[in-house]
């Protein structure tokens, strides 16, 4: 079951996306991660995204194809709803500008040679690496171990601080909850997410409403604790009898 990233997970993800390198290797995952987080693309849609589908001046990208699950063939989406135009937020523009300049392929997101499109295997490897560094950002303990035949020491997590249920699809789920929190109407969110059934969108919006309510409660409690808003007084039913007026 997919979920929204917590605030700490989101912050860790963005920090990791900003790394220039992982263990000496250039970080090619930054724009890829941010596109899923800020535009709600499915992982297999990012693998099939072409440069010609990205309109930076118009601040939109067009989703028309996806990598076939388990097959590796680029094809159209499962349903007509999957074909859509998604707005590009301003904060994503610099990421995509760098990525478009980096790729030597017709595809936006590429592997180490900067020519080969992503595959399900390469995306899985990328996500595992990202999770490892997110874990470190969240406070995991680790050590570096020299494996036989390896030129560099490998980073090994000893005690994890990362939630076990964290999934790559959670970035897309987070995008949908961001839409709800921003006040985007649910019928518009359905189109942006590429959902065939609005009930799917509604289910995520319900989760977002719960998260928003919980966040509001925490803010109210924090403000009361800090004394910036009046806290409630003594419950009337607990007043001592001699302190109450009598007729």
């Amino acid at each position: 079951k997919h979920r929204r990233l917590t605030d700490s997970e989101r912050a860790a993800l963005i920090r990791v996306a900003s790394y220039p390198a992982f263990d000496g290797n250039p970080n090619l995952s930054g724009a890829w991660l941010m596109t899923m987080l800020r535009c709600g693309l499915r992982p297999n849609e990012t693998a099939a995204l072409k440069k010609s589908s990205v309109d930076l001046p118009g601040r939109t990208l067009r989703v028309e194809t996806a990598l076939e699950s388990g097959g590796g063939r680029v094809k159209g989406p499962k349903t007509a709803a999957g074909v859509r135009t998604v707005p590009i937020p301003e904060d994503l523009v610099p990421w995509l500008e760098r990525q478009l300049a980096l790729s030597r392929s017709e595809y936006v997101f590429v592997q180490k040679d900067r020519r080969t499109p992503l595959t399900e295997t390469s995306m899985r490897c990328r996500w595992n690496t990202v999770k490892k560094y997110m874990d470190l950002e969240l406070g995991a303990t680790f050590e570096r171990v020299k494996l036989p035949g390896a030129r560099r020491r490998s980073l090994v997590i000893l005690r994890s601080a990362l939630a076990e249920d964290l999934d790559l699809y959670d970035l897309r789920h987070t995008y949908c909850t961001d839409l709800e929190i921003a006040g985007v109407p649910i019928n518009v969110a359905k189109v942006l997410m590429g959902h065939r059934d609005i009930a799917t969108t509604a289910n995520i919006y319900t989760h977002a409403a719960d998260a928003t309510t919980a966040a509001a409660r925490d803010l109210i409690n924090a403000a009361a604790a800090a004394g910036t808003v009046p806290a409630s007084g003594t419950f009337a039913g607990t007043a001592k009898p001699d302190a109450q007026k009598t007729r």
Side-chain angles (χ1 to χ4, degrees), residues 24 61 96 98 100 109 124 146 163 166 191:
L61 61 81
L96 287 176
R98 290 192 294 269
L100 292 171
F109 303 110
R124 186 161 50 249
K146 186 73 161 61
L166 185 65
V191 174

Side-chain angles (χ1 to χ4, degrees), residues 153-211:
R153 290 181 178 273
S154 298
L155 193 153
V156 177
I157 301 294
L158 300 178
R159 187 174 62 202
S160 177
L162 191 68
E164 293 183 359
D165 67 341
L166 185 65
D167 185 79
L168 186 56
Y169 255 82
D170 293 341
L171 277 63
R172 171 174 159 81
H173 196 103
T174 301
Y175 171 73
C176 192
T177 61
D178 284 350
L179 294 178
E180 196 276 342
I181 292 169
V184 175
I186 191 170
N187 59 313
V188 177
K190 171 186 175 293
V191 174
L192 296 179
M193 290 293 291
H195 288 155
R196 180 177 58 182
D197 188 348
I198 199 168
T200 304
T201 318
N203 185 50
I204 300 174
Y205 261 42
T206 299
H207 294 165
D210 291 343

